[in-house]
Amino acid sequence: LGSARILAVDDERDTCEALADMLSAWGHKVEIAFDGHDALRKANEFRPDVVLSDLAMPETDGLWLLRNLKEELPDCPVVFLTGRGTIDAAVESIREGAYDFIVKPLDTARLKVCIDRALEKKETMREVQTLRRRLKQLGSSDLIAQSVGMRKVIELVEKVAPSKASVSISGESGTGKEVVSRAVHNLSLRRDKPFIAINCASIPATLIESELFGHERGAFTGADQRRPGVFEMAHGGTLFLDELGEIPIELQAKLLRVLEEGKLRRLGGKVEIEVDVRVLCATNRDLKQEIKNGRFREDLYFRLNVFQIHLPPLRERRDDVPILVQHFVDKFRGDSGKRVSGVHPEAMEVLKNYDWPGNIRELRNAVERAVILCDGELITREHLPPDMAGKSPERHTFRLPFGLSLDAVEREYILGSLQRNGNNKARTAEVLGVSEKTLYNKLNRYAAEARAQQAPGGGGGGPLGGQGSDGAMGAMGTNWFVIR
């Protein structure tokens, strides 16, 4: 870790000077002090990276020095040297914030490792403070970024927000399209009015018209009262339509009319209602290709695609990973009451080098998991998801037992693909070559089957194949085939 400034403190002059000689021989710059007052004065002048102090000293002992150093140099790690008779005091010093203690007679190898780790922690905490300063400079915006690509995105958001133009936001699932849409709204003249966001892919085709435009009582079976749609709810404000490409082609003409005329008619209604809504939309589909395939209206595309913003995937903006990680660490630490303050450099390297198929959503989940598991100040590699840093080729294989029906094979393959893609449904659907709606329908069916199995008399097995389809996964027989 190179040369460091170390303050050595001991009331026995010979011991202190011998300690200083050894530390100097290791390449460190050393100052010495013979009591607590002298140490505190020299610490303010010398600004040490580490303080190495005897614990039992007359008048001003090590604990007195620790308490005063915390006020003057809160980020400076303190390591105590203690005799066997003062172990209880050494343990108390750890509770009060000392980095570590070493029992005399001195084990020089342990001391060297301890100093190296203390310096490593100080450097990590310095990086944490730097990241926090950058987060503070970004203000309250949810657009947390320092990479070149994302700075360009932020510039586009700032330029288009004050206008009335419709904005089309593209990018892979989990890249933060809704966050960008909220930023556009919050920087616009509509910021004091409602912001409504819906995911069109998660709404059944039979209900999406009612969700968008509302319905009157009796409009269809089950419509026992009048209900406004999201356009009415967003009146005066902003409506964000995520996964726009999932809106059925037969409904797109009605959507276009509402956008052009600013009027709508609820399902089953006779009266036209005026609405003033700025529409933002997002999709990870290629809408130009959808137009060629006859699944999306060209006139609707041009109406909504006035201004385009493309979000790069996280793997193309790795410079943003550290600052996003620190943002989530601070968030989840506050939520959980943990004392986690940052990420160990080795763990941060793993996070920066990972490909993040689930993008920021997957990063957020990984950090939340790590904060829950971490009992110390720094998240380490062992707190990260097991497959994140793995190098085994088994990560890219999927094993199934012989004897499954084709339906069961499909089920296990879909669920396995979903897990491998970080629960990213859009990416999983793309890999499987099916629409997101098809994937949602299959997952809903699997969940219903699992609930039926768990019901009394419904047979064994956990939710979503805990026991395995048809019980075959639970059998774990010796005949397997592997899908790569």
Side-chain angles (χ1 to χ4, degrees):
L1 293 174
S3 176
R5 295 187 303 277
I6 299 180
L7 176 61
V9 187
D10 199 305
D11 61 304
E12 294 183 9
R13 185 176 293 268
D14 290 344
T15 301
C16 193
E17 290 175 348
L19 189 59
D21 289 342
M22 181 173 63
L23 294 171
S24 297
W26 291 347
H28 300 301
K29 186 176 180 180
V30 185
E31 279 284 342
I32 58 175
F34 305 113
D35 61 52
H37 290 295
D38 188 27
L40 196 58
R41 179 179 60 80
K42 287 188 174 177
N44 285 321
E45 297 171 356
F46 183 52
R47 312 301 289 183
D49 296 309
V50 178
V51 172
L52 187 61
S53 174
D54 190 17
L55 184 58
M57 297 184 292
E59 296 183 16
T60 53
D61 64 4
L63 283 174
W64 179 91
L65 176 60
L66 175 66
R67 290 162 186 155
N68 283 274
L69 279 173
K70 281 171 67 177
E71 296 181 8
E72 303 294 333
L73 298 171
D75 296 329
C76 181
V78 178
V79 177
F80 283 120
L81 307 179
T82 179
R84 298 195 179 279
T86 53
I87 294 293
D88 289 344
V91 173
E92 177 62 26
S93 75
I94 297 295
R95 293 197 189 100
E96 294 209 25
Y99 176 73
D100 204 351
F101 67 87
I102 298 176
V103 179
K104 299 176 181 177
L106 203 59
D107 181 339
T108 55
R110 169 154 161 61
L111 176 63
K112 194 172 191 305
V113 170
C114 184
I115 290 174
D116 286 346
R117 287 180 177 170
L119 290 170
E120 187 179 71
K121 180 188 176 185
K122 183 177 175 66
E123 181 60 29
T124 301
M125 297 311 295
R126 185 181 290 126
E127 291 175 3
V128 166
Q129 292 305 318
T130 300
L131 290 171
R132 283 180 173 159
R133 281 195 297 272
R134 289 177 186 167
L135 284 168
K136 193 172 182 180
Q137 290 168 0
L138 291 170
S140 59
S141 171
D142 287 329
L143 284 176
I144 297 168
Q146 57 187 6
S147 64
V148 174
M150 281 304 294
R151 294 310 303 175
K152 289 179 180 177
V153 168
I154 292 171
E155 288 175 12
L156 291 175
V157 168
E158 291 170 346
K159 287 179 180 178
V160 76
S163 74
K164 296 180 179 180
S166 298
V167 181
S168 173
I169 306 165
S170 61
E172 294 179 7
S173 182
T175 49
K177 295 188 287 293
E178 184 174 337
V179 171
V180 169
S181 69
R182 285 183 182 276
V184 171
H185 173 76
N186 291 335
L187 293 172
S188 74
L189 299 176
R190 298 170 177 261
R191 56 183 166 270
D192 296 326
K193 299 296 183 179
F195 174 86
I196 306 295
I198 64 166
N199 187 318
C200 301
S202 63
I203 305 170
T206 54
L207 296 179
I208 195 164
E209 183 175 0
S210 170
E211 187 72 23
L212 289 173
F213 309 122
H215 63 256
E216 297 289 348
R217 181 179 178 182
F220 52 84
T221 303
D224 54 356
Q225 59 184 351
R226 173 187 289 172
R227 183 179 181 277
V230 291
F231 268 91
E232 286 183 75
M233 293 166 64
H235 180 66
T238 305
L239 173 61
F240 174 58
L241 301 175
D242 198 5
E243 300 306 338
L244 177 75
E246 298 296 329
I247 294 180
I249 186 74
E250 59 271 14
L251 188 59
Q252 292 173 21
K254 187 171 182 179
L255 174 59
L256 178 62
R257 181 175 177 274
V258 173
L259 293 174
E260 290 181 339
E261 299 181 7
K263 297 178 181 179
L264 63 83
R265 187 176 295 168
R266 297 191 190 110
L267 195 62
K270 298 179 180 178
V271 179
E272 285 196 329
I273 302 165
E274 291 192 3
V275 287
D276 172 23
V277 177
R278 183 185 191 180
V279 175
L280 312 178
C281 65
T283 181
N284 59 7
R285 287 179 176 270
D286 183 347
L287 290 185
K288 289 184 178 179
Q289 187 60 46
E290 294 291 286
I291 292 170
K292 290 179 182 178
N293 295 337
R295 291 194 291 262
F296 201 83
R297 292 181 63 104
E298 188 175 31
D299 46 5
L300 179 59
Y301 171 80
F302 287 120
R303 179 64 180 78
L304 290 172
N305 206 43
V306 176
F307 194 93
Q308 305 88 34
I309 297 177
H310 177 72
L311 298 185
L314 190 54
R315 62 183 173 275
E316 293 178 8
R317 43 180 288 214
R318 296 184 191 274
D319 290 348
D320 290 333
V321 170
I323 198 166
L324 285 167
V325 168
Q326 190 61 50
H327 167 71
F328 290 130
V329 166
D330 291 342
K331 170 182 170 53
F332 295 124
R333 179 191 61 206
D335 293 346
S336 63
K338 292 290 190 84
R339 61 191 184 99
V340 185
S341 56
V343 178
H344 189 278
E346 186 181 87
M348 185 64 82
E349 280 303 305
V350 173
L351 294 171
K352 287 195 292 187
N353 291 325
Y354 184 63
D355 274 345
W356 299 110
N359 291 296
I360 297 173
R361 186 183 295 119
E362 186 183 5
L363 175 66
R364 182 185 189 277
N365 292 343
V367 175
E368 182 175 17
R369 175 187 188 276
V371 170
I372 291 170
L373 293 176
C374 183
D375 293 321
E377 288 187 76
L378 296 179
I379 290 171
T380 63
R381 191 169 182 155
E382 66 183 11
H383 300 128
L384 302 179
D387 65 335
M388 189 159 287
K391 303 297 182 183
S392 169
E394 285 298 311
R395 292 177 65 212
H396 303 292
T397 63
F398 183 68
R399 305 183 68 198
L400 289 172
F402 284 109
L404 293 182
S405 67
L406 286 177
D407 283 345
V409 169
E410 180 188 69
R411 168 196 169 111
E412 298 302 331
Y413 189 63
I414 287 175
L415 296 178
S417 298
L418 186 65
Q419 182 180 24
R420 180 178 167 187
N421 285 291
N423 208 37
N424 183 327
K425 296 180 180 65
R427 185 176 177 83
T428 302
E430 182 181 354
V431 169
L432 295 174
V434 299
S435 71
E436 286 184 58
K437 221 173 245 334
T438 297
L439 180 61
Y440 273 104
N441 289 340
K442 287 184 180 292
L443 294 176
N444 288 336
R445 178 162 62 84
Y446 299 156
E449 290 171 355
R451 286 193 295 270
Q453 283 187 341
Q454 288 184 308
L464 292 184
Q467 179 74 19
S469 300
D470 302 330
M473 295 301 284
M476 289 297 186
T478 56
N479 295 319
W480 293 81
F481 64 91
V482 179
I483 300 174
R484 295 187 183 274

